[in-house]
Amino acid sequence: GAAAPMEQDLGLDQAELEALGLDGAAVWLGNFSRQLRALRGALAGEAAVELLLRLVRNVINSPGEQKFRRIRADNPRIRSSLLSAGDTGEALMRMLGFEATDDNGARVFVLRDASYDTARLRLGTELLENELRAMSVGSAT
């Protein structure tokens, strides 16, 4: 298949990326893209991508709104789409900055101030949007 736009060879090797301070971003980008591709075959893959996109957009659009930074794992929509995708859904949540934690016996994903990273969330949004487009093109054929 065709390479995703974000995976094009930028002509920079790891040493050059490190010199620019972008080595971490490049590694993150590769890992996030790989996890997204793993969702393609999942039963609820498209629903998981849509839900992740909504969660991230909520945080970006209302950064001060605490309710968007705390997601209950037992929420039916989270459980049926995101968590039914197995470890991949959780890995993507972690990569976006959400941390799985226990709150009075209930499992929650929390985006703490320390891990709130606008650039990472915006990049994640772009990758999720691209993946969603690729999925809908793939399912339309």
Side-chain angles (χ1 to χ4, degrees):
M6 300 301 295
E7 292 180 296
Q8 294 166 352
D9 183 11
L10 301 176
L12 297 171
D13 64 18
Q14 190 67 27
E16 290 169 309
L17 288 169
E18 284 174 20
L20 293 169
L22 296 174
D23 49 322
V27 169
W28 184 90
L29 200 62
N31 290 339
F32 195 84
S33 297
R34 218 174 359 272
Q35 293 288 354
L36 269 181
R37 280 195 306 276
L39 277 181
R40 282 188 190 164
L43 190 58
E46 196 165 341
V49 172
E50 286 173 353
L51 185 59
L52 265 175
L53 192 52
R54 187 170 315 115
L55 295 173
V56 173
R57 282 180 178 153
N58 285 344
V59 173
I60 289 172
N61 295 335
S62 306
E65 189 68 60
Q66 288 303 312
K67 71 177 181 184
F68 293 138
R69 293 167 170 244
R70 190 176 183 284
I71 294 136
R72 290 185 355 263
D74 65 353
N75 174 302
R77 296 200 52 210
I78 300 292
R79 205 174 49 239
S80 68
S81 62
L82 199 57
L83 300 181
S84 71
D87 294 342
T88 306
E90 285 200 41
L92 288 165
M93 290 284 285
R94 272 194 313 276
M95 293 181 79
L96 289 165
F98 287 92
E99 182 183 312
T101 185
D102 185 80
D103 183 16
N104 294 325
R107 195 147 178 268
V108 293
F109 294 96
V110 179
L111 181 63
R112 302 188 194 287
D113 286 340
S115 56
Y116 177 73
D117 180 347
T118 310
R120 175 174 44 192
L121 291 170
R122 289 189 188 281
L123 195 54
T125 299
E126 197 171 307
L127 292 170
L128 289 162
E129 286 168 347
N130 289 343
E131 183 62 26
L132 205 50
R133 275 194 292 276
M135 285 175 153
S136 39
V137 165
S139 62
T141 54

